Amino acid sequence: MRIRKTRLYFVTGGLLAMLLSDQSRRLVPAFWQTGLTPGGVGRFVIQEEGDITLKFVAARLGAGNLELVPVPFYQDQGPGTRSIAEIARRFTLETQRPVIAAINGGFFDTATGLPIGFLLRDGRMDFFNMPQGFQRSMVGFSSAGTSGEGSHVWINSPRVMPKVWLDTFMVGAGRPMRTDTLAVHHINVPGGKHALALFTPIYASSLKPPENSIYLAAHAEPGRPGVYRVSEICKRGLVRIPSDGLVVALHGDARAKAGLFPIGALIRPRWSLPADWTDHAVMHGLLAGPRLLEAGKVQVTAKAERLDSLKSRDRVALAVKANGDAILVWAHKNTPGNLSFEQVAQVLAKMGAEEAIALDGGKSRAILAQAGDTYADERYFEGGRPVANALVLAVKAPTHS
């Protein structure tokens, strides 16, 4: 009997090691699950649903003080570091917050690697590069409360897409008077030849203005949150991005607005978000899509969002149950043919999800889960090509009174 038990432990341990190894494809049982780190806050599951293999993380937002945060890749790293595992690792180094799980996030241009859409993190716009002229879906997250209540997920398909503006103010006024409001085309994304763009320290430490451009460095204005004062005008050479500020980049025709930015001028970037995000203190958000479920019913918006041409056997999605459980899903079709958004929506509805949105799938599909009793335990990771951002399930930063 003792020999049989030893053999059983060996076989079980070998299966766990196989499942937790970093391999892109493997044979898996029809159902397998393990707890997430630390024990009790969620689970990682691999299961077969017909001809579909599901690999998903399920966790109660707020349990273990967890929240979902979209995180961009770090511009100072090479393309080889743009996996969700590396993004999660860098997020932990930056914030000292353990990541329990992660999944691929929003879309990006595969030719340039530049993100498409927007990413809101901790109430700031980390990048903005919105497609224009049609509706797109997005997902937002309110932070976990200090009294223990969980984070909430808000999935929207608004008719009016988010926009960014830059207000300029008169120099030297005791009570600054606004002089103009300009449309911002990009944040932390190199723009077109006539774009007005903003760059923050998350993008890089310095920039080199291209020909036919004017770059303006601005520092945070003491006592005025969200307001900056222009300190330098640069047309060539290097311009440093202030660690407490930003750079305004005027390209091509946008240079005609340079007169609004003399040394000492005050500027204020601002943006619009869905109304219920503002009403519910949404701190993090990401453009994704299409929407898959609304109020527990299949509601696929792929055609309206011009995403119905995206064919793949691999889909990635975020779903939410009525009890607050968040489900991060990678679904793979094992038989020939594509896995439709409708099929994924039906599987998520069967799992009890009320709301769901697709994330970037196909060759970008990726999922990470920390499994075991401590943060030092082995992890499960599968990933495809380098990605623009990740959606991480992280322990919320402690609050200090």
Side-chain angles (χ1 to χ4, degrees):
M1 180 65 72
R2 184 175 301 169
I3 294 175
R4 290 181 179 179
K5 282 186 176 180
T6 302
R7 184 178 180 183
L8 176 62
Y9 293 151
F10 176 79
V11 171
T12 303
L15 176 61
L16 179 62
M18 179 188 72
L19 289 166
L20 295 177
S21 63
D22 291 359
Q23 299 176 13
S24 60
R25 283 283 183 264
R26 60 179 68 83
L27 294 174
V28 298
F31 179 84
W32 181 86
Q33 73 172 354
T34 185
L36 294 177
T37 304
V41 301
R43 58 198 176 104
F44 173 61
V45 179
I46 301 176
Q47 74 178 55
E48 299 293 327
E49 185 68 35
D51 66 343
I52 300 172
T53 296
L54 300 174
K55 302 176 184 182
F56 65 90
V57 167
R60 181 73 49 86
L61 296 181
N65 208 15
L66 300 178
E67 66 176 339
L68 285 163
V69 184
V71 184
F73 78 87
Y74 292 78
Q75 295 276 358
D76 61 341
Q77 302 296 302
T81 65
R82 286 169 44 195
S83 69
I84 66 166
E86 179 62 17
I87 292 172
R89 187 186 73 83
R90 291 293 301 272
F91 173 82
T92 295
L93 289 175
E94 175 194 345
T95 64
Q96 300 303 304
R97 298 171 56 185
V99 171
I100 305 301
I103 203 162
N104 187 40
F107 298 104
F108 61 97
D109 186 327
T110 57
T112 64
L114 296 177
I116 297 171
F118 73 91
L119 188 148
L120 182 76
R121 180 165 58 130
D122 295 324
R124 69 175 185 264
M125 196 68 78
D126 272 3
F127 71 72
F128 180 85
N129 185 30
M130 285 291 293
Q132 300 297 317
F134 54 95
Q135 177 181 306
R136 292 294 298 271
S137 292
M138 55 201 69
V139 58
F141 311 95
S142 60
S143 290
T146 56
S147 59
E149 66 270 21
S151 171
H152 293 278
V153 180
W154 306 92
I155 297 174
N156 297 77
S157 303
R159 293 182 180 178
V160 179
M161 294 291 99
K163 295 181 175 62
V164 176
W165 297 275
L166 185 66
D167 295 330
T168 62
F169 297 86
M170 185 180 299
V171 179
R175 297 183 60 182
M177 297 177 58
R178 189 166 63 187
T179 55
D180 210 337
T181 296
L182 308 175
V184 175
H185 303 112
H186 309 281
I187 295 179
N188 289 332
V189 176
K193 61 181 181 179
H194 300 298
L196 188 159
L198 304 179
F199 293 95
T200 69
I202 191 176
Y203 181 83
S205 59
S206 62
L207 299 163
K208 185 176 182 180
E211 291 186 10
N212 299 318
S213 66
I214 300 173
Y215 279 33
L216 311 122
H219 290 265
E221 179 72 356
R224 291 174 175 167
V227 176
Y228 304 85
R229 188 178 291 273
V230 176
S231 58
E232 180 184 1
I233 300 174
C234 184
K235 298 182 180 180
R236 60 184 62 87
L238 287 179
V239 55
R240 296 196 174 278
I241 304 177
S243 59
D244 65 341
L246 51 80
V247 165
V248 180
L250 307 174
H251 300 99
D253 293 348
R255 293 178 303 164
K257 300 295 184 179
L260 296 168
F261 301 96
I263 297 292
L266 296 176
I267 57 176
R268 179 184 64 192
R270 55 187 175 89
W271 43 81
S272 62
L273 296 168
D276 59 346
W277 287 21
T278 304
D279 295 342
H280 294 95
V282 166
M283 293 298 292
H284 319 296
L286 181 73
L287 184 82
R291 189 173 196 148
L292 302 176
L293 295 176
E294 184 174 4
K297 297 182 179 180
V298 174
Q299 183 66 35
V300 176
T301 58
K303 187 173 183 179
E305 298 185 36
R306 303 182 185 180
L307 297 172
D308 52 329
S309 62
L310 298 180
K311 310 297 184 183
S312 178
R313 295 170 66 187
D314 293 285
R315 299 294 186 188
V316 176
L318 168 67
V320 188
K321 291 186 175 182
N323 64 2
D325 281 1
I327 310 173
L328 285 65
V329 183
W330 171 11
H332 172 74
K333 190 170 186 289
N334 300 312
T335 55
N338 296 303
L339 179 58
S340 71
F341 290 118
E342 285 78 9
Q343 287 174 297
V344 177
Q346 290 164 3
V347 169
L348 295 175
K350 185 177 179 180
M351 294 169 67
E354 289 286 309
E355 304 287 335
I357 187 171
L359 304 172
D360 189 14
K363 293 181 180 179
S364 303
R365 78 286 185 275
I367 190 167
L368 176 149
Q370 296 285 10
D373 295 326
T374 72
Y375 293 117
D377 282 353
E378 291 186 278
R379 69 181 183 184
Y380 180 102
F381 169 65
E382 290 198 40
R385 61 189 170 195
V387 297
N389 50 75
L391 187 60
V392 306
L393 179 66
V395 176
K396 182 169 169 51
T399 55
H400 301 284
S401 56

